[in-house]
Amino acid sequence: MDMLWNGWGDPARATPLPDTVTGLLRDWLGVKPQPTASARLEEIAISTPALEGAALHALRTALGDRADDVRTDTESRVRHTRGKSTPDLLRLRAGDTADAPAAVALPQSHDEVLAVLRVCAEHRLALVPFGGGTSVVGGLAPSGNAPFVALDLRHLNRLIDIDPVSRTATLQAGLRAPEAEALLAEHGFTLGHFPQSYEWATIGGFAATRSSGQASAGYGRFDEMVLGLTLATPGGTLDTGRAPRSAAGPDLRQLLLGSEGAFGVITSVTVRVRPVPQTRRYEGWRFASFTEGSAALRRLAQDGPRPTVLRLSDETETLIGLAQPDAIGSAAEQQSAGCLAVVGFEGTEEDTVRRRAAAAAVLTDRGGEFAGDEPGRRWAHGRYSAPYLRDSLLEAGAFAETLETAAYWSRLPGLYAGVRDALTATLTENGTPPLVMCHISHVYENGASLYFTVVSAQGEDPVAHWTRAKHAANEAILAAGGTITHHHAVGTDHRDWYVREATDLGVAALRAVKQRLDPDGLLNPGVLLPTD
């Protein structure tokens, strides 16, 4: 099943907001119904021409002349236009297809990926790897006006190998996360990687963007799970990783992780896996303030015991109910004071009981109040619902978007205040401030991430309004010592600030790598690194 072309996920799960929430949006934020509905898919026209002639023939030949594996029809091109950020969706709903690919290619093997790369080099076509299409940072919209091919990896969807002794698995890059979990579960294992994009994102996309899952406190980030990668490039094949750790020079795996399709096409990933947990338990804890709750999370992250899931919503997010997306606007959350933390434990029954009891002692000592299992159950039930909620808000006339960052614990308060102030200042219109919410979603011994959600009225030009706010937030992030992105990746949205974070010398080193692997600059131009 394809994702909704002008929104998120399964079309059957798109639901309108309750009247009570629509009323709150009107009263609090001045949200008004949109005067025009979204364009329909059958009405969309693409201004740029589809691939034809010798280049199209060569591409079809590279894929064995399979009728459905090179597509130039309008619907296929629209479905591979940009990603799923709010500006992406607003532009697409308005009929803007300026970033549409000239063709969509669907290879079935690593060798066919190499063949497509050769065709692109010969015919001067740019190429954009396409997994689940879930990028929210402009990672699927290359710079420049040259025609490009979207390389859809959906047919690279196999479990290639599993080693139960070493607890490793090799997965093809186009395998969607739920399918990967199902295949691993047949052997008694799990990857343990469950980001909000889980239902649609792919293994290759996780690696290319340094994804972080909602259970990262227990399982780690995706880049910590990766033991090896296979990369197809215009210069040939690069295989990395032959042992769990090595002192044989710089780790090339780390160079390719987070490369966002700019260095090559990831075709398979070898990851460490763990036994499927015997038990899972998620629960809620309340704190009087975000500061108090943050200190409790830091104590667990630094000194243990570390839960599998550890999240903390600030006062506003708790009040609105976004800590549990399927309970948005519920009376129960509106009546609750303070900040809600979701704490989860997975593993053997014995280990889960032990860690939960020890963590409860720490949380209580730090001022936490046990809120029962219901908040945890609701969070687990609605953990993938937020993008659907975003679409419902758009339909109601509101603007909703997210951004994230991370910093050391000592810098976190200043980062939180700086970004929140920047968003509030730039999105306030006619004296009406936006709704700015935040949560800590990933914790480490030395720091944590901050994930902001913003809701406001759309106004006359919501994309331009958000662009100003996003730029202000990016400046605030760098000024406060944060990283420009913790898990959404760089794309084009963060590129100019990433260049400043990486420094000129660092960017020059990365350019040298790209020049060797992609000498003609065909791969995802303008994503991650500026074009020359």
Side-chain angles (χ1 to χ4, degrees):
M1 178 176 63
D2 287 323
M3 190 186 292
L4 185 64
W5 72 277
N6 62 349
W8 180 266
D10 182 356
R13 292 179 58 184
T15 56
L17 293 174
D19 290 342
T20 53
V21 176
T22 303
L24 289 174
L25 292 172
R26 181 187 62 245
D27 296 340
W28 288 2
L29 303 175
V31 170
K32 301 176 182 179
Q34 291 303 292
T36 57
S38 170
R40 294 185 300 174
L41 181 57
E42 58 269 23
E43 299 172 338
I44 297 290
I46 300 178
S47 57
T48 56
L51 193 66
E52 57 186 14
L56 179 60
H57 175 74
L59 194 58
R60 286 175 170 159
T61 300
L63 297 186
D65 288 315
R66 295 188 300 273
D68 197 43
D69 284 353
V70 178
R71 304 177 184 177
T72 57
D73 62 285
T74 297
E75 179 175 342
S76 295
R77 295 173 67 198
V78 168
R79 288 187 178 279
H80 291 80
T81 299
R82 294 187 288 270
K84 295 298 182 180
S85 71
T86 298
D88 287 343
L89 297 184
L90 288 173
R91 291 175 61 193
L92 200 55
R93 290 176 178 210
D96 179 354
T97 57
D99 301 310
V104 180
L106 293 90
Q108 297 188 9
S109 68
H110 174 84
D111 288 343
E112 287 192 348
V113 173
L114 290 173
V116 170
L117 287 170
R118 287 193 290 270
V119 170
C120 289
E122 179 182 354
H123 293 274
R124 303 298 301 165
L125 298 168
L127 181 137
V128 176
F130 192 99
T134 62
S135 172
V136 292
V137 291
L140 301 174
S143 299
N145 299 316
F148 73 94
V149 173
L151 190 76
D152 191 318
L153 298 169
R154 70 179 65 186
H155 292 326
L156 275 70
N157 61 356
R158 294 188 300 114
L159 170 62
I160 298 173
D161 180 64
I162 189 157
D163 178 352
V165 175
S166 304
R167 291 187 177 177
T168 68
T170 300
L171 307 165
Q172 287 189 310
L175 193 61
R176 276 179 31 192
E179 297 164 348
E181 281 295 321
L183 290 170
L184 292 172
E186 293 177 4
H187 300 271
F189 292 105
T190 180
L191 187 56
H193 190 68
F194 304 104
Q196 197 168 79
S197 61
Y198 168 79
E199 296 170 309
W200 298 92
T202 61
I203 296 298
F206 291 154
T209 60
R210 289 189 182 271
S211 174
S212 281
Q214 295 173 343
S216 64
Y219 291 97
R221 291 166 53 97
F222 193 79
D223 49 11
E224 296 171 311
M225 303 175 184
V226 174
L227 301 173
L229 293 167
T230 298
L231 190 77
T233 81
T237 297
L238 183 60
D239 281 307
T240 67
R242 57 189 303 160
R245 295 290 186 272
S246 172
D251 190 345
L252 291 177
R253 290 172 293 192
Q254 294 302 319
L255 180 64
L256 303 181
L257 289 164
S259 56
E260 301 186 35
F263 294 166
V265 181
I266 296 170
T267 58
S268 66
V269 182
T270 298
V271 292
R272 62 113 177 98
V273 293
R274 292 179 179 171
V276 173
Q278 295 176 359
T279 184
R280 293 182 172 96
R281 178 166 179 175
Y282 310 109
E283 58 194 30
W285 286 78
R286 291 196 176 275
F287 292 89
S289 68
F290 195 53
T291 298
E292 187 176 286
S294 298
L297 265 62
R298 177 170 64 86
R299 168 64 174 78
L300 288 177
Q302 291 180 334
D303 301 323
R306 184 175 295 189
T308 308
V309 173
L310 191 56
R311 303 166 63 85
L312 175 72
S313 292
D314 71 0
E315 291 87 348
T316 306
E317 187 169 283
T318 300
L319 176 66
I320 297 301
L322 199 62
Q324 302 165 126
D326 65 339
I328 185 73
S330 70
E333 283 307 308
Q334 292 174 25
Q335 294 170 6
S336 301
C339 298
L340 177 67
V342 173
V343 184
F345 303 90
E346 300 181 8
T348 65
E349 185 68 35
E350 179 182 0
D351 179 64
T352 297
V353 169
R354 178 186 59 80
R355 285 192 297 136
R356 179 174 171 268
V362 172
L363 295 171
T364 301
D365 180 66
R366 295 288 167 156
E369 178 183 346
F370 182 59
D373 291 344
E374 181 61 18
R377 283 196 295 263
R378 292 194 69 96
W379 171 81
H381 177 74
R383 65 198 296 187
Y384 308 126
S385 300
Y388 292 98
L389 174 61
R390 184 270 309 267
D391 288 358
S392 299
L393 288 166
L394 292 181
E395 292 291 343
F399 182 93
E401 188 55 297
T402 64
L403 63 86
E404 42 73 47
T405 179
Y408 295 117
W409 286 111
S410 60
R411 295 177 178 173
L412 216 60
L415 179 63
Y416 173 71
V419 174
R420 187 181 54 181
D421 290 348
L423 292 170
T424 300
T426 49
L427 289 173
T428 295
E429 281 197 341
N430 301 319
T432 302
L435 191 63
V436 180
M437 299 165 278
C438 183
H439 63 256
I440 293 174
S441 53
H442 306 277
V443 299
Y444 308 96
E445 181 178 354
N446 308 111
S449 70
L450 293 175
Y451 191 100
F452 292 87
T453 300
V454 182
V455 182
S456 69
Q458 286 192 17
E460 293 296 324
D461 189 343
V463 173
H465 202 192
W466 173 248
T467 299
R468 290 192 295 272
K470 175 73 169 174
H471 287 188
N474 289 350
E475 291 293 335
I477 287 170
L478 292 191
T483 180
I484 197 60
T485 176
H486 172 265
H487 58 268
H488 279 172
V490 174
T492 54
D493 292 0
H494 295 144
R495 180 192 60 213
D496 295 343
W497 289 268
Y498 170 65
V499 166
R500 288 161 57 185
E501 183 175 327
T503 74
D504 290 343
L505 183 58
V507 170
L510 293 177
R511 283 189 182 278
V513 173
K514 183 171 176 64
Q515 174 63 30
R516 178 62 185 88
L517 297 177
D518 179 25
D520 296 318
L522 304 176
L523 289 163
N524 227 359
V527 170
L528 184 67
L529 298 172
T531 55
D532 292 330

